[in-house]
Structures are given as structure tokens and as C-alpha cells.
Amino acid sequence: MTKLLLIVTFCVSFGTAFSQIHEGQLLMGGSSYFSSKKQTNGVHTSRQTDVVFAPNAGYFFMDQLAGGIRVNIGFSKLIYQLPEDGYYRVNAQALAPFLRYYLLSPKQKLNLFVDASYFYGRSQVKSYSGNPLDPAGSSKHTEKGYGLSAGPALFLTPGIALELMASYRHSKYKGFDDANTSWMTGLGFQIHLGDTKP
């Protein structure tokens, strides 16, 4: 951990004082998100854990504004306590067009960004009951929703950035009235490709 902090400090102190977030440049990288929440309604208790991996590719249409496509690969587990304990596992894949805007000048090594995406895909839900006589069930669903993220991007070099973000995710399964919402924390790594501009 100490070595990582020294490397980051060195890059920030001696790196070039601008980032590649200009029109015509490319954005390649990805993010990973995590959330865990516990819910109790007075009788039943449940705990849900979500993990999402999201590689992306984008293009800067203008300075500081990029758009592109992201692939969301998600894994969830919901543990519930009823007369018979059990849990659900969800595997999900979705395509997510996105827009991203960097709020500060390209000359800043530490920038701030906001990111909005809409996703559409499929999920497979498997249920497991605590009753050994009740076999696991499986179903497939169409899922759609949107995600909003924001956070700092630290440019270690003009073309490489590390990101820390908070993310809100809202989704619904086709045929179900209830929506699934979650707050997630995430880490990202982005490579900015293209001719360097002052």
C-alpha cells in the first residue's frame, strides 16, 4: 500500500500537467462496482450483494465530452430469512450506451466526471430454498434501466487515469412491477488514446 501511494505521488508531482480529454480522442478501459445492503421489515431479513464489471469504449465528440458503449456483467446474491432460509443468484449481461463529461479543464491532473448510461440486457435468476425437498428454480428475464456515476479521475500520465466513483443504479425486469435500486461504489481504469494536445 505504501509503495502504491509513493508511485501515485511521484506521477502526480512530476507527470505532465494535462490530460487527454480532447475532441477526436478515444477512451478505453473499464470499471468495477460493489454494493451490499441489508433490509429488515420487522419480520423478515434479507441481505443483497451486487458486483458489476463494466468494460467500455468511447470517443470524445468534443473537448471533455465522450460517448460510447459499455458492457455490464453483473452478479448478485440475495439471502433471505423466512420460515425456510434460502437465496437467489442472478447473472446478468447488458449493453449500455453512455455519455461522460469531465467538469474541469484538461490541464488538471485531478479531474471530476459525471457519467450517465442506459442499459438493456438479460438476466438469469436461480432460486435455492433451505428446504432440501424444494429443488432450485431457474428463470430468465429481460432487464432494462439506467445508471448514474460521478467521482474523481486521477491522471497518472496524460493518457492513463484511475477513478473512484459513487454510482446509482435503477433497473426493472420485464413483467415485474417492482424496481431494483442500489447505490454502489466503484473503481475504474481508463486509457485515453490519441494525439496529445497542449
Side-chain angles (χ1 to χ4, degrees), residues 16-57:
T16 309
F18 56 83
S19 55
Q20 292 186 192
I21 52 176
H22 295 282
E23 180 180 352
Q25 294 177 331
L26 300 177
L27 181 69
M28 304 285 290
S31 307
S32 59
Y33 303 89
F34 173 83
S35 73
S36 180
K37 60 183 178 182
K38 183 178 181 180
Q39 296 177 321
T40 302
N41 64 5
V43 178
H44 304 136
T45 299
S46 64
R47 179 179 293 277
Q48 182 173 340
T49 302
D50 300 301
V51 179
V52 177
F53 300 100
N56 64 258

Side-chain angles (χ1 to χ4, degrees), residues 19-23 25 60 63-64 102 104 106 111 155 192:
S19 55
Q20 292 186 192
I21 52 176
H22 295 282
E23 180 180 352
Q25 294 177 331
F60 280 88
D63 287 359
Q64 298 171 239
Y102 290 84
L104 304 181
N111 213 314
F155 284 84
H192 298 250

Side-chain angles (χ1 to χ4, degrees), residues 1 18-19 30 32 36 50 77 109 111 114 123 133 153 163 168 183 193 196-197:
M1 185 65 179
F18 56 83
S19 55
S32 59
S36 180
D50 300 301
K77 184 175 183 179
K109 296 177 186 177
N111 213 314
V114 291
S123 299
L133 300 179
E163 301 171 345
Y168 174 77
W183 284 96
L193 303 172
T196 301
K197 300 181 181 181

Side-chain angles (χ1 to χ4, degrees), residues 46-164:
S46 64
R47 179 179 293 277
Q48 182 173 340
T49 302
D50 300 301
V51 179
V52 177
F53 300 100
N56 64 258
Y59 177 82
F60 280 88
F61 300 102
M62 57 183 288
D63 287 359
Q64 298 171 239
L65 177 64
I69 193 75
R70 180 176 290 132
V71 179
N72 291 337
I73 304 170
F75 306 92
S76 300
K77 184 175 183 179
L78 174 64
I79 301 174
Y80 58 86
Q81 294 178 344
L82 295 169
E84 298 170 356
D85 293 347
Y87 62 94
Y88 293 96
R89 287 188 183 273
V90 181
N91 296 328
Q93 302 83 35
L95 289 178
F98 72 90
L99 286 175
R100 168 178 289 217
Y101 184 71
Y102 290 84
L103 301 175
L104 304 181
S105 164
K107 295 181 180 180
Q108 302 293 324
K109 296 177 186 177
L110 182 62
N111 213 314
L112 299 174
F113 69 90
V114 291
D115 188 298
S117 64
Y118 172 85
F119 57 87
Y120 183 88
R122 293 188 62 82
S123 299
Q124 182 178 29
V125 181
K126 290 186 177 181
S127 61
Y128 300 85
S129 171
N131 184 348
L133 300 179
D134 184 10
S138 178
S139 59
K140 294 183 178 181
H141 306 276
T142 299
E143 182 184 18
K144 62 181 179 179
Y146 63 88
L148 301 171
S149 299
L154 175 62
F155 284 84
L156 305 180
T157 72
I160 298 177
L162 294 178
E163 301 171 345
L164 178 64

